[in-house]
Amino acid sequence: MNGKTKRIALCAVLAALALGLSTLENLFPITVLIPLPGVKLGLANIVTMFALYQLDAPAALAILSVRCLLGGLFAGNVSSLLFSLLGGLCAMAVMIALKRCRGLSLYGVSIGGAAAHNVGQIAAAVITLGSTMVIGYLPFLLVIALFTGALTGFVVSLLIRATAHLPLFH
């Protein structure tokens, strides 16, 4: 198998993993522990960020797009697709920009991505509801993004260390 075929296969496996984690997270909502609507750990973001660091931005963007599109298709809900895509694309744009900042750790990039994801989802809510009232909810989501982003960054750092010896990612 040539390098391009391996890369496509790896991206497909990572997209399937991200979709599976997203589906699993929807089955067990965190709102039981944190009673705020829309709060999620963002388990699928672990895969996207891992791809950003171990592969590159185009691969991570492709994985994110496939996950969002298939997730929206499986949910049968255009609204969930809008929320997922706007949140994910905002997060990806910010993470790509922050990754280029020297001295900013993987944790900082992850927290920035989590915050941008929340901004994108609030934008989706404004579009869907036709009201700016939901913007008042953003500060609560940004505080939670500090924790979810740090958790994602921690898991990704462990995965990067665990796969450092695998030639598949180099």
Side-chain angles (χ1 to χ4, degrees), residues 12-23:
V13 168
L14 290 174
L17 179 60
L19 183 59
L21 287 172
S22 179
T23 302

Side-chain angles (χ1 to χ4, degrees), residues 17 20 26 36 44 48 80 89 105 116 122 140 146 149 157 164-165 169:
L17 179 60
N26 288 333
L36 295 172
T48 305
S80 70
L89 292 174
S105 73
I122 289 294
F140 299 106
L146 289 171
S157 69
H165 67 284
F169 298 106

Side-chain angles (χ1 to χ4, degrees), residues 4 8-9 20 22 36 42-45 47 53 68 85 91 93-94 100 111 113 124 139 148-149 165 167 170:
K4 187 174 181 180
I8 291 169
S22 179
L36 295 172
L43 297 177
N45 297 333
V47 178
Y53 274 82
C68 291
L85 270 176
V94 167
R100 293 181 180 147
I111 291 168
T148 59
H165 67 284
H170 302 289

Side-chain angles (χ1 to χ4, degrees), residues 6-148:
K6 283 182 186 178
R7 182 176 169 82
I8 291 169
L10 178 59
C11 286
V13 168
L14 290 174
L17 179 60
L19 183 59
L21 287 172
S22 179
T23 302
L24 180 68
E25 188 171 32
N26 288 333
L27 294 175
F28 304 102
I30 195 171
T31 52
V32 173
L33 301 173
I34 303 171
L36 295 172
V39 172
K40 288 179 151 188
L41 290 175
L43 297 177
N45 297 333
I46 293 167
V47 178
T48 305
M49 191 164 176
F50 177 79
L52 179 63
Y53 274 82
Q54 291 299 92
L55 300 173
D56 56 24
L61 187 58
I63 291 164
L64 169 76
S65 299
V66 167
R67 177 191 46 95
C68 291
L69 293 171
L70 289 177
L73 181 68
F74 293 160
N77 187 335
V78 175
S79 177
S80 70
L81 176 62
L82 177 67
F83 277 78
S84 184
L85 270 176
L86 273 179
L89 292 174
C90 285
M92 181 57 65
V94 167
M95 288 191 300
I96 289 168
L98 291 178
K99 186 176 180 256
R100 293 181 180 147
C101 295
R102 295 202 191 282
L104 188 61
S105 73
L106 186 137
Y107 291 91
V109 172
S110 183
I111 291 168
H117 192 275
N118 288 330
V119 170
Q121 290 201 317
I122 289 294
V126 168
I127 292 167
T128 303
L129 298 173
S131 170
T132 58
M133 293 296 288
V134 292
I135 294 173
Y137 189 50
L138 185 59
F140 299 106
L141 292 177
L142 293 177
V143 168
I144 292 168
L146 289 171
F147 298 102
T148 59

